[in-house]
């Protein structure tokens, strides 16, 4: 066919998304796959859609209005989108366009019924399916009805759900155009959906078939409970036969209706086992062609020469978490780095690349997150035992997820029987020696002081030596700096100190529970421990509040700064403003390299975006009296001292009490000497990251001035080696940056699992506990005590507005959240472990805390009264 507005389906391929929309392009590609049968038809191109809209100027004005809508303003969107649809449906189809469509219909013969299906350009993308956003009309008979439904398909680009979807995903309404697919109608005996990967677990070798009698609309609309077949390795491993009381059938004069299914057939399977396996084999062929798991709509014609399966749609399954790319076919188990680092958000390519280059272990990327391949450790006896013990102490959910996989006999070979104790006599990584004896290091505060001084000297040398470096010379220098970065991070003495503090904590908790029945005694014994850079950061912002508080005009000004990150320059014009500015500047000099999600170098630092600190600063001004920092620290120190005296006195009253008390005293001194240092290496890493970032952004500015890239932040979507090449060649591929931005947006919508297998199975673990009250949310107890208060669900520290006594509920907390900890009464997070930053600082400040609470930010509503049981590890929702 040569009509400019109509293309035969067999003339279309996957490259023509812009011409016929996503569905049309996919169907054209499907029709070219050997052995795949697609109902015959044609596509009405997006040029036809654009031409129709150009006939009505009102559409342009209405699109302007739509673009200004907020995604949550449902009533306004509903009203305006309905108006746009009425406008579009009211536009007459131009005569030559109508004639082209009629000619396309003529070759099928009179009386043929058609499916008229929307096909938007932003549809069935690898990163966003847009499933169900536009409309399909079945059993449309006659040219006039096809043309009428053509207009309805165009108008469906502006349904309320489609408009809201685009607004939420930052997609310009004008950037999306509508093609329409017109296909010969198939009147099937059965229809349904095939997922070539398990849409729930993500398992790539497991296919799921859903089937019902009649047209697939019965299944899509929820009219029936379909049959569900699970297929793995060409074998049906599970089946559920639904009671299919209704079916959707075509009417003789056009349209469809649902009808009752004969009682004798309701519990019969819609497909035979042989048909299920044949369908899955067809699905695997389609998946191989497109290179990713597919969500496939199918129907089965069972009479005449046209009998057999027809594929009516195939789109990527965009909800699956991607799998790291590897070069072998072996089974692998990956552990999430983000759950260890308290940053589960998607990272941009430069952030991923920089962390990989500076980390102590090889890391793989998937879905904008980093993973460590734990397979080798899990297949050795000592490695498996040590890893499970370490993970179990820090995050029971990760251990449960690991054990779920390891319990399957066919996944990894079981390690041979482990000998008694490690063969070299060393303690398991992250664990304890038999009997709980700590690593051999003296309890000497000078050790911590020396480590900090060495770190500061190395950082000062980095700042000095990087000055003046640019171009290829800068990248050569940075690669050498990364070696020094890793040397500091892997300093054996530093690791010994960290382990000594953790082991002393475990010893105290284990022994004092055994001897005195004390739960989590170390939580109180570590209050206001010295040398904790992260807890000092939170208290230091209280000191800044003391400078701001006496000046009402400064407070009023800060309340109105909004997103103006240049506000510090204006402060000096106010009474007391210069003093306030200097206090904030001094704080930023010390802590300005921090931010939420700080392991991603592309995230804006407080020094770059100081407005992020303003809400916490104003909370401190409002909720605290002068001198609160010193008072709080001293109060914690006194509480720890009283607890120590109480514990030692009770121990002395026990049999062998003097010996137990002496040993406990040594451990208390040890934990207070070393536990604060646990936070310092991360501070050092992030300090170095800010130096690297400033140098790379200077390079990016030069690239912008030279016209190599459009904007400075484009470099965030390149890896470090790619950026090095761009600087060297002074040439960049705009397509790569654009595609990486689209991929990053899609990754942001994914929830990373704690454990991921090479089969794509995503596991987040479960608590196996019977000590949690009905209705309570289980988690990991990380800071003792119980508190009741108002839940404040906060996703961004810059949006936090807290009152004294509030309980912070959030996804994760890294050190940047510490300034909020001084003003809250308790903490609940979805991610975290016993020794992660949020837990350490919660104990420092004496806040009852429960972490690892699955879906806490969804199950707990902002403003609800909750009770946090920090000693027992659960949260009650009171109302």
């Amino acid at each position: 066919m040569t009509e400019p507005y109509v293309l035969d389906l067999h003339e279309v391929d996957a490259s023509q998304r812009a011409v016929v929309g996503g569905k049309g392009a996919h169907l054209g590609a499907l029709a070219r796959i050997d052995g795949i049968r697609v109902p015959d038809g044609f596509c009405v191109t997006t040029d036809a859609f654009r031409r129709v809209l150009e006939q009505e100027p009102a559409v342009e004005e209405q699109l302007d209005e739509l673009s200004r809508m907020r995604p949550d303003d449902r009533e306004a969107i509903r009203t305006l989108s309905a108006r746009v649809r009425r406008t579009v449906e009211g536009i007459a189809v131009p005569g030559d366009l109508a004639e082209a469509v009629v000619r396309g219909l003529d070759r099928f013969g009179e009386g043929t019924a058609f499916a008229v299906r929307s096909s938007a350009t932003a549809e069935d993308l690898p990163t966003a399916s847009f499933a169900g956003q536009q409309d399909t009309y079945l059993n449309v008979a006659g040219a006039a009805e096809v043309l009428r439904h053509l207009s309805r398909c165009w108008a469906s680009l502006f349904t309320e759900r489609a408009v809201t979807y685009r607004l939420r995903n930052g997609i310009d309404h004008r950037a999306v155009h509508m093609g329409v697919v017109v296909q010969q109608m198939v009147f099937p005996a059965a229809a349904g959906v095939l997922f070539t990967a398990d849409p729930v677990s993500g398992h790539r070798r497991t296919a799921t078939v859903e089937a019902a009698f009649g047209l697939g609309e019965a299944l899509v609309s929820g009219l029936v409970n379909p049959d569900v077949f699970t297929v793995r390795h060409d074998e049906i491993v599970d089946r559920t036969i639904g009671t299919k009381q209704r079916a959707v059938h075509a009417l003789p004069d056009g349209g469809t209706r649902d009808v009752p299914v004969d009682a004798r057939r309701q519990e019969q399977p819609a497909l035979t086992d042989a048909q299920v396996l044949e369908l899955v084999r067809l699905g695997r062929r389609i998946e191989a062609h497109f290179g990713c798991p597919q969500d496939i709509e199918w129907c089965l014609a069972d009479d005449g020469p046209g009998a057999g399966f027809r594929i009516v749609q195939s789109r990527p399954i965009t909800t699956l978490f991607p799998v790291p790319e590897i070069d072998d076919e072996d089974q692998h188990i990956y552990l999430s780095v983000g759950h260890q680092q308290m940053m589960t958000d998607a990272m941009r390519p430069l952030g991923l690349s920089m962390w990989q280059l500076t980390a102590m272990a090889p890391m793989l990327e998937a879905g904008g997150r980093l993973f460590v391949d734990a397979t080798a450790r899990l297949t050795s006896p000592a490695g498996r035992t040590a890893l499970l013990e370490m993970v179990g102490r820090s995050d029971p959910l990760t251990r449960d997820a690991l054990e779920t996989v390891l319990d399957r006999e066919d996944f990894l070979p079981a390690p041979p029987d482990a000998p008694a104790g490690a063969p070299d006599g060393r303690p398991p990584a992250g664990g304890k020696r038999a009997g709980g004896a700590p690593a051999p290091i003296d309890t000497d505060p000078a050790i911590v002081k020396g480590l900090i001084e060495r770190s500061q000297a190395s950082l000062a040398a980095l700042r000095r030596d990087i000055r003046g470096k640019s171009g290829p010379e800068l990248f050569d220098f940075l690669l050498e700096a990364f070696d020094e970065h890793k040397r500091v991070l892997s300093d054996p003495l530093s690791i010994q100190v960290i382990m000594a503090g953790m082991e002393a904590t475990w010893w105290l908790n284990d022994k004092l529970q055994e001897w005195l029945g004390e739960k989590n005694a170390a939580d109180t014994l570590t209050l206001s421990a010295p040398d904790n850079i992260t807890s000092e950061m939170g208290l230091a912002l209280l000191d800044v509040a003391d400078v701001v508080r006496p000046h009402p005009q400064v407070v009023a000004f800060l309340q109105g700064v909004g997103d103006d990150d240049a506000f510090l320059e204006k402060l000096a014009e106010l009474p007391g403003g210069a003093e306030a500015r200097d206090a904030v500047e001094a704080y930023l000099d010390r802590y300005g390299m921090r931010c939420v999600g700080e392991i991603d170098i592309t995230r804006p630092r407080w020094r770059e975006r100081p407005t992020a600190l303003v809400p916490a600063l104003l909370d401190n001004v409002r909720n605290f009296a002068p001198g609160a920092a010193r008072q709080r620290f001293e109060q914690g120190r006194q509480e720890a001292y009283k607890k120590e005296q109480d514990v030692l006195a009770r121990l002395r009253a026990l049999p062998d009490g003097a010996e137990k008390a002496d040993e406990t005293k040594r451990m208390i001194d040890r934990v207070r000497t070393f536990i604060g240092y646990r936070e310092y290496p991360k501070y050092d890493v992030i300090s170095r990251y800010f130096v690297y970032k400033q140098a790379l952004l200077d390079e990016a500015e030069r690239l912008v001035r030279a016209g190599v890239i459009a904007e400075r932040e484009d470099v965030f979507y390149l890896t470090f080696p790619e950026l090095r090449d761009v600087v060297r060649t002074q040439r960049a591929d705009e397509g790569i940056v654009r595609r990486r931005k689209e991929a990053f947006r899609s990754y942001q919508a994914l929830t990373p699992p704690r454990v991921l297998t090479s089969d794509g199975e995503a596991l987040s673990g479960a608590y196996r506990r019977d000590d949690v009250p009905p209705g309570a949310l289980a988690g990991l107890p990380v800071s003792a005590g119980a508190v009741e208060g108002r839940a404040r669900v906060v996703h961004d520290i810059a949006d936090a507005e807290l009152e004294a006594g509030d309980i912070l509920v959030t996804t994760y907390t890294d050190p940047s959240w510490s300034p909020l900890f001084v003003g809250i009464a308790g903490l609940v997070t979805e991610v975290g472990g016993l020794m992660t930053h949020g837990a350490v600082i919660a104990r420092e400040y004496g806040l009852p805390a429960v972490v690892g609470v699955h879906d806490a930010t969804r199950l707990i509503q902002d403003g609800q009264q909750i009770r946090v049981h920090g000693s027992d590890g659960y949260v009650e929702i009171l109302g």
Side-chain angles (χ1 to χ4, degrees):
M1 302 178 75
T2 59
E3 302 294 344
Y5 298 121
V6 173
L7 290 174
D8 190 280
L9 202 54
H10 292 278
E11 296 179 273
V12 174
D13 61 33
S15 69
Q16 292 172 284
R17 176 184 303 278
V19 178
V20 296
K23 189 180 282 102
H26 264 73
L27 285 169
L30 283 166
R32 294 164 180 262
I33 302 174
D34 185 40
I36 302 301
R37 299 164 77 185
V38 175
D40 197 9
F42 58 87
C43 297
V44 181
T45 67
T46 54
D47 281 342
F49 170 76
R50 281 189 287 267
R51 180 177 171 193
V52 166
L53 260 59
E54 286 168 1
Q55 293 183 189
E56 179 51 74
V59 174
E60 189 72 15
E61 298 169 11
Q62 291 165 352
L63 292 184
D64 280 339
E65 255 188 280
L66 273 183
S67 66
R68 294 192 292 270
M69 292 284 175
R70 296 194 320 274
D72 57 351
D73 193 347
R74 296 183 60 184
E75 187 57 41
I77 292 172
R78 182 181 300 117
T79 301
L80 182 54
S81 62
R83 195 161 84 236
V84 179
R85 289 197 304 279
R86 286 194 299 271
T87 302
V88 174
E89 287 187 42
I91 302 172
V93 178
D96 59 333
L97 199 164
E99 288 174 11
V101 172
V102 171
R103 280 195 292 272
L105 298 173
D106 285 345
R107 72 181 174 90
F108 291 95
E110 193 173 346
T112 303
F114 298 92
V116 183
R117 314 175 67 197
S118 305
S119 178
T121 51
E123 182 176 329
D124 296 350
L125 299 172
T127 56
S129 72
F130 288 73
Q133 299 306 312
Q134 283 84 43
D135 292 340
T136 289
Y137 302 97
L138 301 177
N139 197 29
V140 180
E145 282 299 291
V146 169
L147 289 170
R148 185 169 73 86
H149 285 85
L150 178 64
S151 292
R152 294 182 70 184
C153 281
W154 288 332
S156 75
L157 189 64
F158 305 104
T159 60
E160 179 188 349
R161 63 182 180 272
V163 168
T164 302
Y165 192 96
R166 289 195 293 272
L167 287 171
R168 285 182 176 156
N169 287 276
I171 298 169
D172 185 351
H173 300 299
R174 290 182 181 80
V176 184
H177 303 112
M178 181 68 81
V180 178
V181 179
V182 180
Q183 288 177 283
Q184 186 173 2
M185 187 71 189
V186 176
F187 302 101
V193 179
L194 160 65
F195 297 97
T196 64
D198 188 320
V200 177
S201 73
H203 198 287
R204 302 303 200 269
R205 303 183 196 214
T206 299
T208 301
V209 175
E210 296 184 355
F213 294 125
L215 293 165
E217 295 306 293
L219 190 154
V220 174
S221 64
L223 188 65
V224 298
N225 291 320
D227 302 336
V228 181
F229 302 89
T230 303
V231 178
R232 192 177 302 133
H233 303 304
D234 206 34
E235 178 184 351
I236 297 173
V237 296
D238 192 24
R239 78 184 73 226
T240 301
I241 305 303
T243 303
K244 301 170 288 296
Q245 297 178 333
R246 314 286 295 179
V248 174
H249 288 292
L251 293 171
D253 297 327
T256 62
R257 72 173 178 185
D258 66 272
V259 298
V261 175
D262 186 280
R264 290 169 296 180
R265 296 187 65 216
Q266 288 179 5
E267 295 188 14
Q268 293 179 4
L271 296 177
T272 66
D273 285 5
Q275 288 170 332
V276 169
L277 295 176
E278 178 191 355
L279 178 61
V280 171
R281 285 192 285 270
L282 292 174
R284 292 294 180 211
R285 191 175 297 176
I286 294 169
E287 178 184 67
H289 178 83
F290 288 117
C292 63
Q294 297 287 300
D295 167 358
I296 299 168
E297 294 181 22
W298 57 268
C299 57
L300 175 65
D302 66 348
D303 58 349
F309 286 107
R310 300 290 189 279
I311 304 302
V312 296
Q313 186 160 321
S314 183
R315 61 168 71 94
I317 308 176
T318 59
T319 57
L320 299 178
F321 200 88
V323 180
E325 294 184 8
I326 49 174
D327 295 330
D328 61 52
E329 295 297 318
D330 297 337
Q331 302 278 30
H332 292 263
I333 298 179
Y334 307 105
L335 298 185
S336 165
V337 173
H339 285 81
Q340 301 165 42
Q341 289 293 332
M342 297 301 97
M343 213 301 269
T344 54
D345 296 345
M347 296 169 67
R348 294 171 182 82
L350 186 61
L352 293 165
S353 176
M354 292 289 285
W355 194 260
Q356 288 172 305
L357 286 166
T358 54
M360 299 309 302
M363 293 183 181
L364 301 165
E365 183 272 333
R369 278 80 171 186
L370 292 169
F371 292 84
V372 172
D373 189 343
T375 313
R377 290 191 68 183
L378 291 168
T379 51
S380 78
R384 180 176 292 197
T385 300
L387 184 60
L388 289 175
E389 180 182 353
M390 177 186 71
V391 167
R393 279 194 174 275
S394 63
D395 183 5
L397 289 176
T398 298
R399 175 167 184 157
D400 180 81
L402 275 174
E403 289 178 330
T404 299
V405 179
L406 294 173
D407 285 345
R408 298 173 187 156
E409 295 179 3
D410 61 341
F411 195 84
L412 283 185
D417 292 336
D424 58 2
R426 292 180 299 174
K432 302 184 299 180
R433 291 175 181 269
I441 180 176
D442 292 336
T443 304
D444 182 358
I447 295 175
V448 171
K449 185 178 181 216
L451 284 170
I452 292 173
E453 287 175 350
R454 283 157 57 183
S455 170
Q456 289 173 338
S458 175
L459 181 59
L462 171 65
R463 288 175 174 145
R464 180 192 66 237
D465 295 343
I466 203 171
R467 289 190 197 118
K469 301 285 194 302
S470 66
E473 181 191 17
L474 170 66
F475 288 84
D476 293 341
F477 172 82
L478 285 173
L479 288 173
E480 293 177 7
F482 297 163
D483 289 337
E484 170 66 4
H485 179 121
K486 289 190 278 191
R487 188 199 65 75
V488 172
L489 200 59
S490 62
D491 184 331
L493 183 60
S494 175
I495 294 169
Q496 271 191 298
V497 167
I498 292 169
M499 289 308 305
M502 292 168 66
E503 288 168 347
T505 300
W506 296 334
W507 189 97
L508 287 166
N509 282 336
D510 291 348
K511 291 299 184 183
L512 294 181
Q513 180 158 14
E514 175 189 342
W515 293 337
L516 299 176
E518 281 271 356
K519 265 189 179 180
N520 303 313
D523 293 0
T524 305
L525 293 167
T526 54
L527 289 173
S528 298
D531 299 315
N532 188 315
I533 189 72
T534 307
S535 63
E536 290 169 5
M537 179 172 66
L539 296 176
L541 198 63
L542 285 174
D543 290 333
V544 178
D546 286 352
V547 178
V548 169
R549 192 179 296 107
H551 307 292
Q553 288 179 267
V554 171
V555 174
F557 172 79
L558 291 174
Q559 288 169 339
V561 297
D563 296 328
D564 180 10
D565 285 308
F567 73 92
L568 288 172
E569 300 170 11
K570 304 169 187 175
L571 262 182
E573 301 168 10
L574 303 171
E579 187 182 359
R581 179 202 59 198
D582 292 346
V584 174
E585 287 283 2
Y587 186 88
L588 292 173
D589 287 344
R590 178 85 162 131
Y591 305 110
M593 76 296 292
R594 311 218 81 149
C595 68
V596 174
E598 60 192 11
I599 70 168
D600 182 355
I601 198 171
T602 72
R603 291 286 191 101
R605 312 285 130 173
W606 289 343
R607 170 54 80 183
E608 297 168 308
R609 190 171 293 172
T611 50
L613 282 172
V614 171
L617 177 57
L618 289 172
D619 286 345
N620 288 349
V621 169
R622 183 174 62 252
N623 296 330
F624 293 94
R630 181 183 52 78
Q631 292 166 10
R632 286 177 64 91
F633 186 83
E634 182 58 26
Q635 179 184 347
R637 198 182 65 80
Q638 290 293 337
E639 286 183 37
Y641 178 75
K642 288 176 186 175
K643 186 68 172 180
E644 175 184 332
Q645 297 307 304
D646 171 65
V647 163
L648 295 177
R650 290 160 60 197
L651 285 172
R652 291 188 185 103
L654 299 176
D656 300 322
E659 182 180 339
K660 288 176 174 139
D662 288 347
E663 192 172 6
T664 300
K665 171 61 175 167
R666 286 195 296 274
M667 287 298 180
I668 292 172
D669 291 345
R670 193 168 184 78
V671 79
R672 291 192 66 80
T673 297
F674 293 135
I675 199 64
Y677 179 75
R678 166 77 175 78
E679 294 293 300
Y680 197 86
K682 182 72 170 285
Y683 174 80
D684 178 81
V685 166
I686 302 307
S687 297
R688 291 172 186 275
Y689 262 40
F690 193 39
V691 178
Y692 307 152
K693 181 179 186 179
Q694 289 172 306
L696 291 174
L697 284 180
D698 286 345
E699 206 60 44
E701 291 281 10
R702 285 188 276 272
L703 291 173
V704 171
R705 288 196 297 270
V708 177
I709 57 175
E711 53 188 19
R712 191 177 68 159
E713 285 72 21
D714 282 353
V715 300
F716 294 163
Y717 297 93
L718 302 172
T719 65
F720 182 86
E722 288 169 346
L723 178 54
R724 186 185 190 185
D725 285 344
V726 168
V727 168
R728 180 178 56 82
T729 63
Q730 293 293 292
R731 288 197 292 198
D733 185 337
E734 292 180 7
I736 287 179
V737 171
R738 184 179 64 254
R739 290 191 295 274
R740 298 265 178 85
K741 287 180 178 179
E742 291 171 358
F744 176 69
R745 279 195 294 269
S746 73
Y747 295 153
Q748 287 177 300
L750 298 175
T751 300
R754 284 174 164 81
V755 172
L756 182 66
T757 72
S758 48
D759 284 339
E761 187 174 8
L763 301 101
S764 290
Y767 292 106
R768 316 290 176 177
R769 298 173 54 182
D770 55 10
D771 61 341
V772 176
L777 308 179
L780 181 65
V782 296
S783 186
V787 65
E788 183 178 321
R790 179 180 65 164
R792 295 312 308 264
V793 180
V794 179
H795 296 283
D796 188 335
I797 187 174
D799 298 329
E801 290 187 10
L802 300 164
E803 300 287 346
D806 284 347
I807 296 171
L808 175 63
V809 181
T810 191
T811 307
Y812 63 81
T813 61
D814 58 15
S816 70
W817 289 77
S818 299
L820 297 187
F821 283 26
V822 297
I824 59 175
L827 174 68
V828 179
T829 69
E830 294 179 350
V831 178
L834 280 168
M835 285 297 171
T836 51
H837 303 280
V840 171
I841 304 308
R843 291 193 289 271
E844 274 282 313
Y845 289 162
L847 301 174
V850 179
V851 302
V853 180
H854 184 64
D855 269 353
T857 59
R858 183 178 62 83
L859 298 173
I860 300 172
Q861 302 299 309
D862 187 59
Q864 281 185 314
Q865 285 291 119
I866 62 174
R867 184 180 295 123
V868 177
H869 295 264
S871 300
D872 298 308
Y874 63 88
V875 180
E876 291 181 287
I877 301 176
L878 306 178

